[in-house]
Amino acid sequence: MSAVSLCTLYTPPTLLPFSKPHKTSAPISSQSLKRCRIITSVAEDRKPIPVVSNDRKVLQPSPPSEDNNTEIVNDTDILTGRAINASIVLGFGAFAVTKLLSIDHDYWHGWTLYEILRYVPEHNWIAYEQSLKTNPVLAKMAISGVVYSIGDWIAQCYEGKPIFEFDRARLFRSGLVGFTLHGSLSHYYYQLCETLFPFQEWWVVPAKVAFDQTVWSAIWNSIYFVVLGLLRFDSLTNIYGELKSTFVPMLTAGWKLWPFAHLITYGVIPVEQRLLWVDCIELIWVTILSTYSNEKSESRKIEEVSETSSSTSSQNSKELNE
């Protein structure tokens, strides 16, 4: 029974003029009146509580946040990049293996698998020597392009990236520098070196190594850094700063590797075969070169971002103080 219905139990009798008072069935005691007033006051003091339907919460879910959308987009981009990189690596790998194994496809009719695999190294070497005679510059350019691409890939994996999450643009830049510049320039450099040192005495090999590790290394390291910076669309000021800060460290780092390798280069390997031997060692050296170059570029970008954020925060603080 509600408080209102309890209060309506008692209605004071009204006296009409010239009429007799009505007879009530039973008088209401003072205790029940007091109880009625208490219940009424409690009912008036209570405020209505808004009731929220649980069904409405279920039917109208909250929209996903921007952070979740960003994470989904990033995951999709990573998976797409992995698929593209894996396709590139597997495609070029399958092409190279097929070309190497099918060097004798015109003659292997009736051969066994053992005979095919037995003559593959020898006949590929013969084909390489023939290409050096017919078009030596293009052959050396192709070798250097492949070596510089693989070297940059190794460098990215060494920096901590997964094997199929490499930077395709960076790998392409390094391979382009190796193909267009290193192969052709090295071809003419080794011929120039033989012209400058046409002697057969014992001191010729150390002299060639010293010339290689001072003059030629300084020239090639500078070319590599400048061309990579231009391909990244860096400003000339930034390129000069990176070259200035890495010139001496890179030159001295090469002295830990190349003098020992060039004792074989200038003492044992013929002139036409030198670039192939050097490119095999270049897999290690390009890893170092690429790591140095991209570390400087990334550190410069981080410094620019930090400077921009610090200047923005200082401007905001000044505006707040004003």
Side-chain angles (χ1 to χ4, degrees):
M1 182 179 292
S2 64
V4 178
S5 60
L6 289 174
C7 293
T8 55
L9 290 175
Y10 174 74
T11 56
T14 58
L15 297 176
L16 298 175
F18 307 104
S19 64
K20 295 180 180 180
H22 294 280
K23 292 182 180 180
T24 57
S25 58
I28 300 175
S29 63
S30 61
Q31 187 175 1
S32 59
L33 285 174
K34 189 184 293 185
R35 188 180 302 168
C36 176
R37 292 193 187 99
I38 293 173
I39 295 173
T40 305
S41 62
V42 171
E44 289 177 353
D45 291 338
R46 286 193 302 181
K47 295 181 180 180
I49 300 174
V51 179
V52 180
S53 176
N54 293 329
D55 297 334
R56 184 175 298 175
K57 294 181 180 179
V58 176
L59 294 175
Q60 297 178 359
S62 60
S65 61
E66 295 181 358
D67 296 336
N68 294 334
N69 293 334
T70 305
E71 291 177 358
I72 293 172
V73 171
N74 292 335
D75 292 341
T76 305
D77 293 340
I78 291 173
L79 291 176
T80 304
R82 284 180 181 177
I84 295 173
N85 293 343
S87 301
I88 293 172
V89 172
L90 296 177
F92 277 97
F95 174 77
V97 172
T98 303
K99 292 294 290 183
L100 292 174
L101 293 179
S102 62
I103 187 68
D104 295 323
H105 69 280
D106 294 332
Y107 312 103
W108 66 19
H109 182 71
W111 289 12
T112 62
L113 180 61
Y114 171 76
E115 291 174 339
I116 293 173
L117 296 177
R118 175 186 175 185
Y119 292 107
V120 160
E122 179 183 354
H123 292 174
N124 276 288
W125 181 258
I126 293 172
Y128 172 69
E129 288 184 333
Q130 290 177 353
S131 65
L132 289 179
K133 293 178 181 178
T134 56
N135 199 342
V137 177
L138 183 60
K140 294 173 182 179
M141 288 170 63
I143 293 173
S144 294
V146 172
V147 167
Y148 269 68
S149 299
I150 297 175
D152 185 79
W153 184 25
I154 295 173
Q156 295 190 43
C157 294
Y158 177 77
E159 292 168 9
K161 292 183 179 180
I163 190 171
F164 288 132
E165 289 186 14
F166 56 86
D167 187 351
R168 293 187 296 275
R170 172 181 161 180
L171 186 143
F172 174 76
R173 288 193 295 265
S174 183
L176 185 64
V177 172
F179 176 77
T180 57
L181 296 176
H182 184 261
S184 56
L185 293 179
S186 296
H187 169 77
Y188 295 110
Y189 161 71
Y190 288 123
Q191 292 182 350
L192 175 64
C193 194
E194 292 299 314
T195 304
L196 294 175
F197 302 95
F199 311 104
Q200 300 296 327
E201 283 77 6
W202 64 270
W203 55 267
V204 173
V205 173
K208 289 179 180 179
V209 173
F211 181 79
D212 187 289
Q213 288 304 293
T214 52
V215 178
W216 173 243
S217 292
I219 293 173
W220 172 244
N221 290 346
S222 303
I223 291 173
Y224 183 82
F225 270 82
V226 171
V227 174
L228 276 186
L230 293 174
L231 291 176
R232 288 195 301 262
F233 301 103
D234 292 342
S235 63
L236 295 178
T237 305
N238 293 331
I239 294 173
Y240 175 74
E242 292 177 7
L243 180 62
K244 184 179 179 180
S245 62
T246 57
F247 181 80
V248 176
M250 287 301 302
L251 191 64
T252 55
W255 296 346
K256 300 176 183 178
L257 171 67
W258 285 112
F260 306 100
H262 283 326
L263 289 176
I264 301 175
T265 303
Y266 297 106
V268 179
I269 309 297
V271 178
E272 289 299 324
Q273 310 293 344
R274 282 177 185 171
L275 186 59
L276 181 62
W277 159 254
V278 169
D279 279 338
C280 293
I281 309 300
E282 286 274 0
L283 284 174
I284 304 172
W285 181 240
V286 173
T287 303
I288 301 172
L289 271 179
S290 181
T291 303
Y292 263 85
S293 175
N294 288 279
E295 277 182 354
K296 291 296 180 181
S297 178
E298 292 296 331
S299 62
R300 178 179 54 79
K301 290 179 181 178
I302 293 171
E303 289 176 358
E304 290 177 355
V305 171
S306 61
E307 289 176 359
T308 304
S309 61
S310 61
S311 62
T312 304
S313 61
S314 62
Q315 290 177 359
N316 293 332
S317 61
K318 288 180 181 179
E319 291 176 358
L320 291 174
N321 294 327
E322 292 176 357

